[in-house]
Amino acid sequence: MFELESILFLGLGAGLMALAPLVRNAGNHKLGDSMAQSGRSMAKGGVKLGVVVAGAAGGAARYVARQASEAAESFVDLVVEAKSELAEEPQQVDQVAKSTNVKKSREITFKDVKVE
């Protein structure tokens, strides 16, 4: 919503600034000056709002990226520790496999099955 407002203010301000010289040339100097002043302040407000929103969005994106990076680094460290422990104790892995009675999987085939 802030982006729409900033674009709207910027557009309206630029439009007023562009029309101000035409109004001045038509003979109404006070209205032309007023339009130029108002247009300039509206355009500047739109630019300020856009800068604030962009800064906030950039800060949020950097925070999310930093948190994701830290989580990925922690996960990589965990995997490295697990691999090193497995390399140090290979007989323990064999004991776990034997104690759980791991059996080879069997292939199951279905024939003549109707799904409605």
Side-chain angles (χ1 to χ4, degrees):
M1 189 66 178
F2 288 117
E3 295 166 355
L4 179 63
E5 290 172 353
S6 65
I7 291 171
L8 181 67
F9 284 140
L10 183 62
L12 285 175
L16 283 174
M17 288 173 55
L19 290 175
L22 296 174
V23 172
R24 268 192 229 121
N25 288 339
N28 198 340
H29 294 288
K30 288 183 181 181
L31 182 59
D33 292 341
S34 177
M35 286 175 62
Q37 188 79 17
S38 297
R40 181 176 172 81
S41 65
M42 286 178 69
K44 190 180 351 175
V47 169
K48 284 181 182 179
L49 186 60
V51 167
V52 168
V53 169
R62 283 189 295 273
Y63 175 77
V64 169
R66 185 173 47 247
Q67 295 300 319
S69 173
E70 289 175 5
E73 185 178 335
S74 296
F75 184 72
V76 168
D77 291 344
L78 185 66
V79 170
V80 169
E81 286 178 26
K83 284 183 178 181
S84 68
E85 287 179 10
L86 283 175
E88 292 173 1
E89 303 171 7
Q91 68 274 9
Q92 190 177 24
V93 174
D94 293 337
Q95 290 173 356
V96 169
K98 288 178 185 176
S99 68
T100 57
N101 295 326
V102 176
K103 296 180 182 179
K104 292 184 179 180
S105 64
R106 296 181 188 169
E107 188 175 310
I108 299 174
T109 308
F110 292 101
K111 293 182 182 178
D112 299 327
V113 176
K114 292 182 182 180
V115 178
E116 294 180 21

XYZ file of all heavy atoms in Angstrom:
847
model
N 0.818 -1.187 0.000
C 0.000 0.000 0.000
C 0.866 1.257 0.000
O 0.511 2.241 -0.627
C -0.923 -0.054 1.224
C -1.962 1.018 1.232
S -3.097 0.768 -0.134
C -4.204 2.070 0.106
N 1.981 1.213 0.735
C 2.858 2.375 0.772
C 3.447 2.664 -0.604
O 3.646 3.812 -0.965
C 3.990 2.173 1.780
C 3.525 2.232 3.209
C 3.635 1.137 4.032
C 2.974 3.396 3.718
C 3.207 1.197 5.338
C 2.544 3.465 5.023
C 2.659 2.360 5.840
N 3.721 1.618 -1.356
C 4.289 1.815 -2.692
C 3.293 2.546 -3.590
O 3.663 3.447 -4.344
C 4.669 0.477 -3.299
C 5.782 -0.215 -2.543
C 5.923 -1.671 -2.935
O 5.108 -2.167 -3.725
O 6.853 -2.296 -2.439
N 2.030 2.163 -3.495
C 1.004 2.811 -4.304
C 0.872 4.286 -3.921
O 0.774 5.158 -4.792
C -0.337 2.094 -4.128
C -1.516 2.684 -4.902
C -1.264 2.589 -6.395
C -2.795 1.986 -4.525
N 0.885 4.565 -2.623
C 0.771 5.951 -2.172
C 1.963 6.783 -2.622
O 1.816 7.926 -3.038
C 0.641 5.999 -0.656
C -0.682 5.468 -0.151
C -0.723 5.340 1.349
O 0.315 5.546 2.003
O -1.801 5.033 1.872
N 3.162 6.196 -2.519
C 4.348 6.960 -2.922
C 4.331 7.243 -4.418
O 4.668 8.346 -4.860
C 5.632 6.236 -2.520
O 5.769 5.023 -3.216
N 3.901 6.273 -5.213
C 3.806 6.484 -6.665
C 2.722 7.521 -6.978
O 2.904 8.387 -7.834
C 3.522 5.149 -7.386
C 4.745 4.241 -7.283
C 3.150 5.380 -8.834
C 4.509 2.840 -7.763
N 1.612 7.459 -6.228
C 0.529 8.414 -6.431
C 0.984 9.837 -6.106
O 0.761 10.766 -6.887
C -0.672 8.034 -5.576
C -1.908 8.923 -5.700
C -2.510 8.797 -7.083
C -2.920 8.552 -4.641
N 1.627 10.016 -4.948
C 2.119 11.349 -4.575
C 3.155 11.852 -5.575
O 3.136 13.018 -5.963
C 2.727 11.334 -3.173
C 1.716 11.300 -2.066
C 1.927 10.522 -0.957
C 0.557 12.057 -2.135
C 1.006 10.495 0.075
C -0.367 12.042 -1.112
C -0.147 11.249 0.000
N 4.048 10.977 -5.965
C 5.079 11.372 -6.921
C 4.447 11.789 -8.250
O 4.798 12.816 -8.827
C 6.069 10.226 -7.136
C 7.248 10.495 -8.052
C 8.103 11.603 -7.482
C 8.060 9.234 -8.239
N 3.491 11.002 -8.713
C 2.822 11.318 -9.983
C 2.019 12.599 -9.934
O 2.081 13.425 -10.853
N 1.243 12.764 -8.863
C 0.451 13.998 -8.739
C 1.347 15.221 -8.613
O 1.082 16.267 -9.219
C -0.475 13.897 -7.529
C -1.694 12.996 -7.678
C -2.450 12.903 -6.359
C -2.605 13.504 -8.774
N 2.387 15.084 -7.838
C 3.307 16.211 -7.678
C 3.992 16.581 -8.978
O 4.107 17.764 -9.329
N 4.428 15.571 -9.704
C 5.082 15.838 -10.989
C 4.095 16.468 -11.975
O 4.455 17.365 -12.747
C 5.661 14.545 -11.555
N 2.852 16.004 -11.928
C 1.830 16.578 -12.812
C 1.565 18.044 -12.498
O 1.455 18.878 -13.405
N 1.464 18.369 -11.217
C 1.255 19.770 -10.831
C 2.441 20.638 -11.228
O 2.273 21.769 -11.697
C 1.020 19.874 -9.319
C -0.364 19.470 -8.824
C -0.404 19.478 -7.297
C -1.423 20.387 -9.388
N 3.642 20.092 -11.049
C 4.840 20.850 -11.424
C 4.886 21.079 -12.936
O 5.328 22.127 -13.406
C 6.103 20.131 -10.953
C 6.299 20.199 -9.449
S 7.678 19.203 -8.837
C 9.030 19.793 -9.802
N 4.424 20.088 -13.698
C 4.444 20.230 -15.153
C 3.393 21.229 -15.639
O 3.618 21.939 -16.627
C 4.209 18.865 -15.804
N 2.247 21.297 -14.967
C 1.183 22.210 -15.384
C 1.397 23.645 -14.905
O 0.807 24.579 -15.443
C -0.171 21.710 -14.879
C -0.707 20.448 -15.549
C -1.994 20.003 -14.872
C -0.947 20.705 -17.024
N 2.211 23.808 -13.887
C 2.419 25.143 -13.301
C 2.905 26.171 -14.322
O 2.371 27.294 -14.364
C 3.369 25.056 -12.116
N 3.884 25.892 -15.176
C 4.314 26.904 -16.159
C 3.207 27.286 -17.144
O 3.118 28.443 -17.574
C 5.474 26.237 -16.892
C 5.958 25.180 -15.986
C 4.773 24.733 -15.201
N 2.348 26.314 -17.491
C 1.241 26.625 -18.409
C 0.259 27.596 -17.764
O -0.241 28.526 -18.426
C 0.515 25.331 -18.817
C 1.330 24.320 -19.625
C 0.530 23.042 -19.829
C 1.717 24.928 -20.961
N -0.010 27.387 -16.476
C -0.936 28.275 -15.761
C -0.318 29.662 -15.628
O -1.006 30.681 -15.786
C -1.302 27.673 -14.380
C -2.101 28.660 -13.544
C -2.084 26.380 -14.566
N 0.991 29.716 -15.359
C 1.678 31.018 -15.264
C 1.615 31.772 -16.599
O 1.372 32.974 -16.635
C 3.138 30.817 -14.853
C 3.342 30.874 -13.372
C 4.833 30.965 -13.035
N 5.088 29.952 -12.014
C 5.939 28.943 -12.114
N 6.666 28.796 -13.190
N 6.068 28.094 -11.149
N 1.852 31.062 -17.681
C 1.820 31.689 -19.012
C 0.412 32.147 -19.398
O 0.249 33.066 -20.206
C 2.365 30.745 -20.079
C 3.868 30.583 -19.977
O 4.550 31.417 -19.398
N 4.370 29.488 -20.536
N -0.581 31.476 -18.827
C -1.963 31.863 -19.116
C -2.340 33.146 -18.389
O -3.421 33.703 -18.636
C -2.906 30.730 -18.729
N -1.497 33.614 -17.480
C -1.755 34.892 -16.824
C -2.012 34.808 -15.339
O -2.119 35.828 -14.679
N -2.107 33.632 -14.783
C -2.383 33.499 -13.349
C -1.092 33.073 -12.644
O -0.849 31.897 -12.400
C -3.504 32.490 -13.120
C -4.113 32.617 -11.750
O -3.511 33.177 -10.840
N -5.326 32.101 -11.617
N -0.273 34.062 -12.301
C 1.041 33.770 -11.716
C 0.929 33.181 -10.310
O 1.694 32.286 -9.946
C 1.901 35.047 -11.676
C 2.250 35.547 -13.037
N 3.155 34.904 -13.838
C 1.786 36.616 -13.750
C 3.267 35.559 -14.987
N 2.440 36.600 -14.961
N -0.027 33.668 -9.528
C -0.167 33.166 -8.153
C -0.564 31.690 -8.148
O -0.015 30.891 -7.402
C -1.197 33.990 -7.377
C -0.728 35.367 -7.010
C -1.776 36.075 -6.186
C -1.308 37.478 -5.844
N -2.297 38.175 -5.019
N -1.519 31.315 -8.974
C -1.951 29.913 -9.049
C -0.823 29.033 -9.578
O -0.601 27.931 -9.069
C -3.197 29.778 -9.927
C -3.769 28.362 -10.053
C -4.160 27.813 -8.691
C -4.948 28.353 -11.012
N -0.103 29.514 -10.577
C 1.024 28.748 -11.120
C 2.097 28.514 -10.078
O 2.623 27.406 -9.945
N 2.434 29.538 -9.304
C 3.434 29.384 -8.242
C 2.946 28.435 -7.156
O 3.704 27.614 -6.637
C 3.778 30.752 -7.637
C 4.526 31.649 -8.602
O 5.100 31.125 -9.586
O 4.533 32.884 -8.374
N 1.672 28.565 -6.819
C 1.090 27.685 -5.803
C 1.107 26.225 -6.265
O 1.415 25.315 -5.494
C -0.337 28.117 -5.496
O -0.936 27.244 -4.588
N 0.759 26.007 -7.533
C 0.778 24.642 -8.078
C 2.197 24.080 -8.075
O 2.415 22.912 -7.729
C 0.212 24.627 -9.505
C -1.281 24.782 -9.573
S -1.889 24.915 -11.273
C -1.421 23.349 -11.965
N 3.158 24.890 -8.440
C 4.552 24.429 -8.464
C 5.021 24.071 -7.056
O 5.665 23.031 -6.853
C 5.454 25.496 -9.068
N 4.677 24.922 -6.081
C 5.084 24.670 -4.693
C 4.423 23.406 -4.149
O 5.069 22.560 -3.547
C 4.703 25.882 -3.827
C 5.225 25.830 -2.425
C 6.691 26.214 -2.364
O 7.219 26.807 -3.301
N 7.337 25.858 -1.290
N 3.112 23.271 -4.365
C 2.381 22.091 -3.892
C 2.881 20.827 -4.582
O 3.064 19.779 -3.947
C 0.886 22.246 -4.146
O 0.377 23.329 -3.433
N 3.077 20.919 -5.893
C 3.573 19.755 -6.643
C 4.933 19.317 -6.173
O 5.203 18.119 -6.029
N 5.788 20.281 -5.899
C 7.140 19.946 -5.420
C 7.087 19.246 -4.059
O 7.755 18.247 -3.838
C 7.975 21.208 -5.340
C 9.395 20.976 -4.875
C 10.183 22.288 -4.934
N 11.478 22.159 -4.318
C 12.543 21.629 -4.906
N 12.443 21.196 -6.141
N 13.688 21.554 -4.269
N 6.255 19.764 -3.142
C 6.178 19.146 -1.814
C 5.535 17.759 -1.890
O 5.946 16.835 -1.184
C 5.424 20.046 -0.839
O 4.086 20.181 -1.218
N 4.531 17.577 -2.762
C 3.918 16.249 -2.922
C 4.903 15.259 -3.521
O 5.010 14.117 -3.073
C 2.674 16.345 -3.801
C 1.487 16.974 -3.118
S 0.058 17.107 -4.206
C -0.394 15.404 -4.388
N 5.641 15.678 -4.540
C 6.619 14.788 -5.166
C 7.717 14.419 -4.174
O 8.134 13.253 -4.084
C 7.220 15.450 -6.404
N 8.160 15.404 -3.397
C 9.203 15.132 -2.400
C 8.686 14.174 -1.328
O 9.392 13.265 -0.900
C 9.665 16.436 -1.754
C 10.891 16.255 -0.898
C 11.429 17.494 -0.198
C 10.860 18.796 -0.555
N 11.366 19.909 0.249
N 7.426 14.355 -0.913
C 6.820 13.435 0.056
C 6.740 12.013 -0.478
O 6.989 11.047 0.239
N 6.378 11.877 -1.754
C 6.326 10.551 -2.366
C 7.691 9.898 -2.420
O 7.842 8.705 -2.152
N 8.704 10.687 -2.743
C 10.070 10.145 -2.794
C 10.522 9.736 -1.395
O 11.110 8.668 -1.200
C 11.040 11.171 -3.419
C 12.478 10.734 -3.230
C 10.722 11.353 -4.884
N 10.223 10.580 -0.393
C 10.605 10.253 0.984
C 9.941 8.954 1.436
O 10.583 8.099 2.045
C 10.205 11.380 1.933
C 11.085 12.576 1.893
C 10.573 13.612 2.903
C 11.365 14.876 2.894
N 10.830 15.861 3.857
N 8.651 8.829 1.162
C 7.921 7.623 1.542
C 8.501 6.393 0.851
O 8.680 5.340 1.472
C 6.437 7.781 1.212
C 5.510 6.665 1.669
C 5.551 6.509 3.171
C 4.097 6.955 1.204
N 8.829 6.534 -0.413
C 9.444 5.419 -1.137
C 10.792 5.024 -0.559
O 11.107 3.837 -0.442
N 11.583 6.010 -0.167
C 12.896 5.721 0.418
C 12.744 5.010 1.762
O 13.461 4.048 2.059
C 13.721 7.026 0.567
C 14.943 6.816 1.440
C 14.130 7.542 -0.800
N 11.790 5.464 2.578
C 11.561 4.834 3.886
C 11.102 3.391 3.714
O 11.594 2.473 4.378
C 10.539 5.648 4.708
C 10.074 4.874 5.927
C 11.145 6.974 5.128
N 10.156 3.178 2.810
C 9.644 1.823 2.578
C 10.739 0.918 2.025
O 10.893 -0.227 2.454
C 8.422 1.857 1.634
C 8.039 0.470 1.152
C 7.252 2.514 2.333
N 11.512 1.421 1.084
C 12.602 0.615 0.515
C 13.640 0.282 1.579
O 14.163 -0.839 1.624
C 13.253 1.364 -0.646
N 13.945 1.232 2.460
C 14.898 0.970 3.535
C 14.392 -0.081 4.499
O 15.134 -0.978 4.925
N 13.115 -0.003 4.858
C 12.532 -0.988 5.768
C 12.501 -2.376 5.130
O 12.827 -3.383 5.772
C 11.128 -0.565 6.176
N 12.125 -2.435 3.862
C 12.085 -3.728 3.166
C 13.485 -4.312 3.026
O 13.685 -5.519 3.196
C 11.441 -3.562 1.793
N 14.458 -3.462 2.742
C 15.838 -3.940 2.631
C 16.359 -4.452 3.960
O 17.043 -5.482 4.019
N 16.035 -3.758 5.043
C 16.450 -4.209 6.369
C 15.825 -5.544 6.725
O 16.489 -6.429 7.275
N 14.548 -5.709 6.416
C 13.875 -6.980 6.695
C 14.479 -8.105 5.859
O 14.690 -9.220 6.357
C 12.384 -6.855 6.414
N 14.777 -7.826 4.614
C 15.375 -8.855 3.748
C 16.759 -9.250 4.248
O 17.114 -10.436 4.239
C 15.457 -8.348 2.311
N 17.557 -8.273 4.692
C 18.882 -8.594 5.230
C 18.774 -9.424 6.496
O 19.548 -10.359 6.707
C 19.660 -7.305 5.505
C 20.222 -6.660 4.252
C 21.167 -5.514 4.585
N 20.476 -4.407 5.243
C 19.860 -3.421 4.616
N 19.836 -3.395 3.303
N 19.265 -2.454 5.295
N 17.792 -9.118 7.361
C 17.598 -9.883 8.590
C 17.228 -11.328 8.276
O 17.795 -12.258 8.853
C 16.506 -9.231 9.445
C 16.166 -10.017 10.679
C 17.010 -9.985 11.781
C 15.021 -10.795 10.741
C 16.702 -10.708 12.918
C 14.708 -11.525 11.866
C 15.557 -11.480 12.963
O 15.253 -12.224 14.081
N 16.293 -11.516 7.353
C 15.879 -12.881 6.978
C 17.047 -13.642 6.372
O 17.272 -14.817 6.681
C 14.671 -12.832 6.012
C 14.401 -14.186 5.398
C 13.449 -12.317 6.739
N 17.816 -12.991 5.522
C 18.962 -13.652 4.895
C 20.005 -14.047 5.941
O 20.582 -15.139 5.882
C 19.591 -12.739 3.847
N 20.238 -13.177 6.913
C 21.218 -13.479 7.965
C 20.758 -14.665 8.815
O 21.526 -15.568 9.120
C 21.433 -12.247 8.839
C 22.506 -12.414 9.875
C 22.859 -11.138 10.642
N 21.696 -10.400 11.116
C 21.330 -9.201 10.680
N 22.027 -8.586 9.752
N 20.261 -8.607 11.166
N 19.457 -14.687 9.156
C 18.927 -15.794 9.955
C 18.988 -17.111 9.174
O 19.334 -18.154 9.733
C 17.485 -15.503 10.386
C 17.349 -14.328 11.318
C 18.126 -14.501 12.602
O 18.160 -15.569 13.185
N 18.772 -13.442 13.043
N 18.673 -17.070 7.897
C 18.738 -18.285 7.070
C 20.171 -18.764 6.938
O 20.434 -19.973 6.964
C 18.139 -18.010 5.694
N 21.095 -17.842 6.809
C 22.508 -18.206 6.706
C 22.992 -18.872 7.988
O 23.707 -19.881 7.944
C 23.332 -16.958 6.402
O 24.711 -17.253 6.455
N 22.593 -18.328 9.132
C 23.003 -18.922 10.404
C 22.396 -20.307 10.585
O 23.051 -21.222 11.076
C 22.606 -18.006 11.557
C 23.428 -16.737 11.623
C 22.946 -15.781 12.712
O 22.029 -16.157 13.476
O 23.491 -14.669 12.773
N 21.138 -20.478 10.179
C 20.494 -21.787 10.288
C 21.178 -22.799 9.382
O 21.416 -23.948 9.783
C 19.012 -21.671 9.929
N 21.522 -22.391 8.167
C 22.207 -23.299 7.241
C 23.582 -23.673 7.776
O 24.003 -24.837 7.689
C 22.335 -22.652 5.867
N 24.281 -22.708 8.350
C 25.606 -22.985 8.911
C 25.506 -23.960 10.077
O 26.317 -24.886 10.196
C 26.248 -21.681 9.364
C 27.670 -21.827 9.847
C 28.294 -20.506 10.233
O 27.855 -19.460 9.726
O 29.222 -20.530 11.053
N 24.505 -23.800 10.926
C 24.306 -24.722 12.050
C 24.006 -26.129 11.552
O 24.514 -27.114 12.100
C 23.160 -24.243 12.937
O 23.472 -23.028 13.529
N 23.188 -26.226 10.510
C 22.849 -27.536 9.966
C 24.080 -28.205 9.358
O 24.301 -29.405 9.548
C 21.743 -27.413 8.924
C 21.285 -28.739 8.387
C 20.530 -29.583 9.169
C 21.632 -29.144 7.111
C 20.123 -30.818 8.691
C 21.221 -30.366 6.618
C 20.463 -31.205 7.408
N 24.896 -27.437 8.638
C 26.119 -27.988 8.046
C 27.058 -28.473 9.151
O 27.651 -29.555 9.043
C 26.805 -26.944 7.142
C 28.204 -27.386 6.759
C 25.968 -26.704 5.901
N 27.192 -27.700 10.219
C 28.026 -28.120 11.346
C 27.515 -29.416 11.956
O 28.296 -30.300 12.317
C 28.076 -27.028 12.418
C 28.835 -25.795 11.975
O 29.582 -25.888 10.969
O 28.678 -24.737 12.620
N 26.204 -29.541 12.078
C 25.606 -30.751 12.633
C 25.900 -31.965 11.756
O 26.250 -33.043 12.257
C 24.095 -30.547 12.769
C 23.306 -31.653 13.438
C 23.705 -31.772 14.896
C 21.823 -31.366 13.327
N 25.796 -31.802 10.445
C 26.087 -32.906 9.520
C 27.557 -33.302 9.600
O 27.891 -34.492 9.624
C 25.697 -32.517 8.077
C 26.206 -33.529 7.070
C 24.190 -32.358 7.964
N 28.455 -32.328 9.677
C 29.884 -32.622 9.780
C 30.184 -33.376 11.069
O 30.946 -34.350 11.072
C 30.709 -31.308 9.697
C 32.158 -31.544 10.072
C 30.608 -30.732 8.300
N 29.572 -32.958 12.177
C 29.785 -33.669 13.445
C 29.280 -35.098 13.366
O 29.939 -36.025 13.850
C 29.071 -32.925 14.573
C 29.738 -31.648 15.000
C 28.951 -30.937 16.098
O 28.212 -31.613 16.850
O 29.068 -29.707 16.191
N 28.111 -35.287 12.773
C 27.551 -36.634 12.657
C 28.444 -37.525 11.805
O 28.693 -38.691 12.142
C 26.154 -36.566 12.080
N 28.954 -36.984 10.693
C 29.836 -37.777 9.829
C 31.131 -38.140 10.544
O 31.635 -39.256 10.402
C 30.150 -37.012 8.543
C 29.016 -36.999 7.554
C 29.427 -36.279 6.285
C 28.329 -36.304 5.258
N 28.711 -35.625 4.016
N 31.674 -37.206 11.297
C 32.922 -37.502 11.997
C 32.700 -38.546 13.077
O 33.552 -39.420 13.296
C 33.528 -36.226 12.600
O 32.716 -35.741 13.644
N 31.565 -38.497 13.770
C 31.272 -39.520 14.772
C 31.079 -40.881 14.127
O 31.499 -41.903 14.668
C 30.042 -39.127 15.581
C 30.302 -38.002 16.548
C 29.063 -37.599 17.333
O 28.037 -38.331 17.254
O 29.121 -36.570 18.020
N 30.441 -40.908 12.953
C 30.268 -42.186 12.251
C 31.612 -42.756 11.800
O 31.827 -43.957 11.822
C 29.352 -42.004 11.044
C 27.866 -41.893 11.346
C 27.096 -41.589 10.069
C 27.350 -43.158 11.990
N 32.515 -41.897 11.382
C 33.829 -42.362 10.941
C 34.651 -42.903 12.102
O 35.425 -43.841 11.943
C 34.576 -41.215 10.259
N 34.466 -42.344 13.284
C 35.217 -42.789 14.459
C 34.686 -44.094 15.018
O 35.441 -44.880 15.579
C 35.163 -41.708 15.549
C 35.920 -40.458 15.196
C 35.700 -39.344 16.215
O 34.967 -39.570 17.198
O 36.258 -38.261 16.012
N 33.394 -44.350 14.873
C 32.788 -45.526 15.493
C 32.006 -46.357 14.484
O 30.795 -46.482 14.579
C 31.873 -45.072 16.627
C 32.583 -44.240 17.674
C 31.601 -43.621 18.657
O 30.414 -43.946 18.606
O 32.042 -42.812 19.478
N 32.680 -47.030 13.540
C 31.934 -47.815 12.547
C 31.291 -49.072 13.136
O 30.252 -49.517 12.668
C 32.980 -48.167 11.497
C 34.282 -48.040 12.180
C 34.094 -47.025 13.264
N 31.894 -49.668 14.159
C 31.317 -50.877 14.740
C 30.000 -50.579 15.455
O 29.114 -51.419 15.518
C 32.291 -51.575 15.690
C 32.610 -50.843 16.972
C 33.751 -49.849 16.836
O 34.212 -49.568 15.742
N 34.193 -49.317 17.951
N 29.827 -49.380 15.961
C 28.586 -49.020 16.627
C 27.430 -48.967 15.624
O 26.322 -49.372 15.933
C 28.737 -47.661 17.324
C 27.587 -47.323 18.230
C 27.803 -46.008 18.961
O 28.543 -45.158 18.497
N 27.148 -45.857 20.092
N 27.702 -48.552 14.407
C 26.683 -48.520 13.367
C 26.237 -49.938 13.034
O 25.052 -50.213 12.870
C 27.212 -47.801 12.105
C 26.216 -47.902 10.967
C 27.524 -46.358 12.419
N 27.193 -50.860 12.955
C 26.850 -52.250 12.682
C 25.981 -52.828 13.802
O 25.050 -53.584 13.545
C 28.116 -53.091 12.509
C 28.894 -52.712 11.254
O 28.265 -52.148 10.323
O 30.109 -52.959 11.216
N 26.288 -52.489 15.038
C 25.506 -52.992 16.167
C 24.079 -52.447 16.126
O 23.128 -53.171 16.395
C 26.171 -52.599 17.488
C 27.456 -53.339 17.747
C 28.170 -52.805 18.991
O 27.733 -51.845 19.600
N 29.276 -53.457 19.351
N 23.921 -51.198 15.765
C 22.580 -50.615 15.678
C 21.798 -51.293 14.571
O 20.622 -51.615 14.732
C 22.668 -49.086 15.434
C 21.311 -48.517 15.083
C 23.241 -48.389 16.649
N 22.423 -51.559 13.452
C 21.739 -52.218 12.339
C 21.307 -53.627 12.730
O 20.209 -54.063 12.390
C 22.644 -52.254 11.122
N 22.156 -54.349 13.455
C 21.807 -55.711 13.877
C 20.711 -55.701 14.926
O 19.826 -56.557 14.925
C 23.043 -56.412 14.433
C 24.049 -56.774 13.374
C 25.270 -57.417 13.987
C 26.339 -57.686 12.944
N 27.567 -58.221 13.539
N 20.739 -54.763 15.851
C 19.752 -54.727 16.930
C 18.360 -54.341 16.432
O 17.369 -54.700 17.044
C 20.187 -53.768 18.033
O 20.159 -52.441 17.552
N 18.261 -53.650 15.347
C 16.950 -53.262 14.827
C 16.390 -54.287 13.857
O 15.286 -54.121 13.351
C 17.029 -51.898 14.119
O 17.993 -51.961 13.071
C 17.365 -50.794 15.096
N 17.145 -55.345 13.589
C 16.701 -56.406 12.677
C 16.255 -55.840 11.333
O 15.153 -56.081 10.867
C 15.572 -57.236 13.288
C 16.032 -57.997 14.510
O 17.186 -58.435 14.573
N 15.155 -58.139 15.484
N 17.118 -55.081 10.732
C 16.812 -54.498 9.434
C 16.791 -55.612 8.394
O 17.745 -56.362 8.256
C 17.856 -53.419 9.060
C 17.588 -52.891 7.667
C 17.854 -52.319 10.082
N 15.691 -55.733 7.695
C 15.549 -56.753 6.662
C 15.447 -56.072 5.314
O 15.074 -54.915 5.216
C 14.289 -57.586 6.903
C 14.345 -58.379 8.193
C 13.081 -59.170 8.364
C 13.138 -59.929 9.679
N 11.906 -60.694 9.910
N 15.766 -56.838 4.296
C 15.647 -56.300 2.948
C 14.176 -56.106 2.609
O 13.332 -56.898 2.991
C 16.284 -57.252 1.938
C 17.775 -57.338 2.063
C 18.340 -58.211 0.986
C 19.857 -58.267 1.105
N 20.442 -59.116 0.081
N 13.900 -55.045 1.888
C 12.516 -54.778 1.512
C 12.092 -55.725 0.395
O 12.901 -56.154 -0.414
C 12.355 -53.326 1.073
O 13.120 -53.113 -0.086
N 10.827 -56.044 0.402
C 10.279 -56.916 -0.624
C 9.435 -56.083 -1.564
O 8.768 -55.143 -1.169
C 9.401 -57.989 0.008
C 10.162 -58.915 0.900
C 9.238 -59.946 1.465
N 9.959 -60.724 2.465
C 9.379 -61.561 3.278
N 8.072 -61.725 3.242
N 10.094 -62.240 4.146
N 9.469 -56.462 -2.805
C 8.687 -55.747 -3.799
C 7.285 -56.321 -3.831
O 7.085 -57.528 -3.873
C 9.335 -55.890 -5.167
C 8.693 -55.029 -6.216
C 9.442 -55.105 -7.523
O 10.667 -54.933 -7.503
O 8.785 -55.357 -8.546
N 6.291 -55.467 -3.785
C 4.885 -55.894 -3.790
C 4.275 -55.382 -5.090
O 4.413 -54.231 -5.444
C 4.130 -55.323 -2.584
C 4.757 -55.833 -1.297
C 2.652 -55.681 -2.663
C 4.164 -55.218 -0.051
N 3.576 -56.275 -5.766
C 2.948 -55.923 -7.037
C 1.441 -56.121 -6.900
O 0.982 -57.143 -6.396
C 3.482 -56.826 -8.158
O 4.898 -56.798 -8.134
C 2.980 -56.354 -9.502
N 0.693 -55.146 -7.380
C -0.765 -55.243 -7.381
C -1.223 -55.465 -8.808
O -0.826 -54.762 -9.720
C -1.403 -53.956 -6.848
C -1.157 -53.724 -5.389
C -0.191 -52.846 -4.966
C -1.915 -54.393 -4.457
C 0.031 -52.625 -3.631
C -1.712 -54.175 -3.113
C -0.737 -53.303 -2.692
N -2.129 -56.452 -8.959
C -2.685 -56.721 -10.269
C -4.207 -56.676 -10.158
O -4.791 -57.041 -9.139
C -2.281 -58.107 -10.766
C -0.800 -58.218 -11.046
C -0.460 -59.593 -11.569
C 1.042 -59.693 -11.802
N 1.416 -61.018 -12.270
N -4.813 -56.238 -11.220
C -6.262 -56.186 -11.306
C -6.893 -55.360 -10.169
O -7.827 -55.807 -9.500
C -6.884 -57.584 -11.320
C -6.412 -58.389 -12.525
O -6.192 -57.756 -13.575
O -6.258 -59.611 -12.404
N -6.393 -54.185 -9.938
C -6.951 -53.307 -8.920
C -7.734 -52.226 -9.621
O -7.234 -51.552 -10.510
C -5.832 -52.682 -8.047
C -6.437 -51.706 -7.063
C -5.046 -53.767 -7.347
N -8.971 -52.058 -9.209
C -9.823 -51.026 -9.786
C -10.001 -49.903 -8.775
O -10.316 -50.143 -7.629
C -11.205 -51.579 -10.161
C -11.153 -52.563 -11.306
C -12.534 -53.035 -11.660
C -12.472 -54.061 -12.771
N -13.823 -54.531 -13.124
N -9.817 -48.702 -9.233
C -10.004 -47.534 -8.385
C -11.191 -46.755 -8.922
O -11.243 -46.403 -10.085
C -8.724 -46.652 -8.377
C -8.955 -45.412 -7.517
C -7.531 -47.446 -7.900
N -12.157 -46.503 -8.061
C -13.348 -45.784 -8.493
C -13.456 -44.468 -7.786
O -13.111 -44.275 -6.701
C -14.588 -46.613 -8.220
C -14.604 -47.862 -9.083
C -15.842 -48.699 -8.830
O -16.851 -48.170 -8.309
O -15.819 -49.875 -9.155
